[in-house]
Amino acid sequence: MAEAEAEEAVGAGAGEAFEAVEAAPGRELTAPGARRESAPGAGPGAVPGAEAGVRPLGGSARVRQVREGLRGYGLIVAMWIRSTMTYRASFALSAVGNAAITLLDFVTISIMFSHVDVLGGFTLPEIALLYGSCSASLGLADLLMGNTDRIGARIRDGSLDTMLVRPVPVLAQVAADRFALRRLGRVMQGLGVLGWALWSLDVDWTAGKALMVPVMIVAGAAIFAAVMVTGAAFQFIAGDAAEVQNSFTYGGCTMLQYPPTIFAKDLLRGVTFIVPLAFVNWLPALYVLGRPDPLGLPGWAAYLSPLVAFVVFLPASLAWRAGVRSYRSTGS
């Protein structure tokens, strides 16, 4: 009942938010990254702005579009936060429950260490560093971009059409839709385990290692977010591939919670050079711990995580744009 009332409240405020974006000076209704033109041969059911017949925007227009997209994202998120905080006790219980459920993974690891002293040469605090950093990064990406896995359902039921005609970039709307503030529980739980690990470890701290910890979390979240956007773009073709997307995000995080020394070299090469999940926390954590990389990569490779996040976002954004342009309405 509370959730239904919250959704009703958000629906009532949605019009005001979109009107605020539409009223921005010089605002034009455009498809993401392009000016609308009539596309020759566009068949029935095609949604304006999703055709291939578009002209790229100039540099200043792109900057303005990004700025307006962030503004629209913030307005939608603010609506959902206001609706969530209407029932504060419900939010608190949901956040605590989310944190408790995700903490069970680390409890399982702790129980395993009651029978062994090391796993792959790593002690419990060292694995806690891997677990906490990965969990915090995924939690942050899930909080900001986690709803992109619902794009398949919107494609099937035709509700994506309404997003295409709103004066806000589609990706911003998809990411902010049903913004779940309770997911902060996973972030806080991961940071708690990470804090315990850093307190328990005997690390020879330097300025570079101290800086690596927050960079690892933020860059890891960006890499996970790029994977989520790529998975959402794939759903324009597959129709519904949310589980495929989750296998690389949630499944990838589960893998990254364990030391790389227990995995085969071929798998390590795959998650380093193909789907670069190793840059989420493996390489940065090995640098902080002063351990060598199993593949023999130099220590400075740990500093490449922000660059890798940027590089991964390039094909992700191109795939998303291609998916939106290829979209055809269901006609419903």
Side-chain angles (χ1 to χ4, degrees):
M1 178 68 69
E3 184 176 346
E5 293 179 5
E7 291 185 11
E8 183 177 350
V10 171
E16 299 177 3
F18 290 123
E19 287 174 5
V21 177
E22 190 170 11
R27 183 69 176 98
E28 298 179 1
L29 289 176
T30 59
R35 293 189 181 91
R36 292 186 180 174
E37 291 183 349
S38 298
V47 176
E51 308 91 348
V54 288
R55 267 204 322 269
L57 292 173
S60 61
R62 287 185 184 278
V63 172
R64 185 174 66 250
Q65 187 184 54
V66 171
R67 184 172 62 249
E68 292 173 352
L70 292 175
R71 181 169 179 264
Y73 177 89
L75 288 170
I76 300 172
V77 167
M79 287 189 302
W80 282 105
I81 292 178
R82 285 199 302 270
S83 70
T84 299
M85 298 311 293
T86 303
Y87 304 94
R88 303 192 179 211
S90 176
F91 160 70
L93 291 174
S94 298
V96 172
N98 189 280
I101 291 174
T102 55
L103 185 61
L104 291 177
D105 291 337
F106 186 68
V107 172
T108 302
I109 296 175
S110 301
I111 294 175
M112 180 175 58
F113 269 87
S114 65
H115 300 282
V116 297
D117 294 326
V118 294
L119 177 64
F122 282 65
T123 63
L124 179 59
E126 290 174 326
I127 291 184
L129 175 65
L130 297 175
Y131 172 90
S133 57
C134 178
S135 185
S137 294
L138 178 61
L140 187 58
D142 197 32
L143 175 69
L144 300 177
M145 302 289 293
N147 289 318
T148 53
D149 63 356
R150 300 182 63 250
I151 189 69
R154 288 195 171 276
I155 292 173
R156 291 196 310 274
D157 62 21
S159 60
L160 184 63
D161 295 5
T162 60
M163 292 185 170
L164 286 169
V165 297
R166 288 172 179 168
V168 179
V170 180
L171 182 58
Q173 296 182 64
V174 171
D177 186 38
R178 298 179 182 273
F179 185 84
L181 194 60
R182 67 178 182 276
R183 290 173 178 168
L184 274 176
R186 184 183 192 118
V187 179
M188 301 309 296
Q189 175 266 142
L191 291 177
V193 174
L194 177 62
W196 176 82
L198 295 176
W199 179 77
S200 303
L201 287 169
D202 183 17
V203 177
D204 183 16
W205 289 104
T206 62
K209 290 183 178 180
L211 180 63
M212 181 62 67
V213 175
V215 169
M216 170 173 57
I217 296 173
V218 175
I223 293 174
F224 276 130
V227 174
M228 290 177 180
V229 173
T230 304
F234 178 66
Q235 294 193 55
F236 281 98
I237 301 174
D240 188 5
E243 294 307 317
V244 175
Q245 176 178 331
N246 292 339
S247 67
F248 286 95
T249 52
Y250 296 100
C253 183
T254 300
M255 177 189 66
L256 295 175
Q257 293 171 2
Y258 294 90
T261 52
I262 68 174
F263 296 101
K265 291 292 181 67
D266 290 338
L267 176 62
L268 296 181
R269 294 187 185 96
V271 297
T272 301
F273 303 110
I274 301 177
V275 183
L277 295 179
F279 289 90
V280 171
N281 70 337
W282 271 353
L283 290 173
L286 291 174
Y287 173 79
V288 171
L289 297 173
R291 288 177 171 270
D293 176 66
L295 296 180
L297 295 179
W300 54 261
Y303 289 96
L304 297 179
S305 291
L307 178 61
V308 169
F310 175 76
V311 171
V312 173
F313 251 111
L314 292 179
S317 62
L318 293 176
W320 173 262
R321 287 165 60 86
V324 172
R325 291 181 177 185
S326 66
Y327 172 71
R328 291 295 180 269
S329 170
T330 61
S332 58

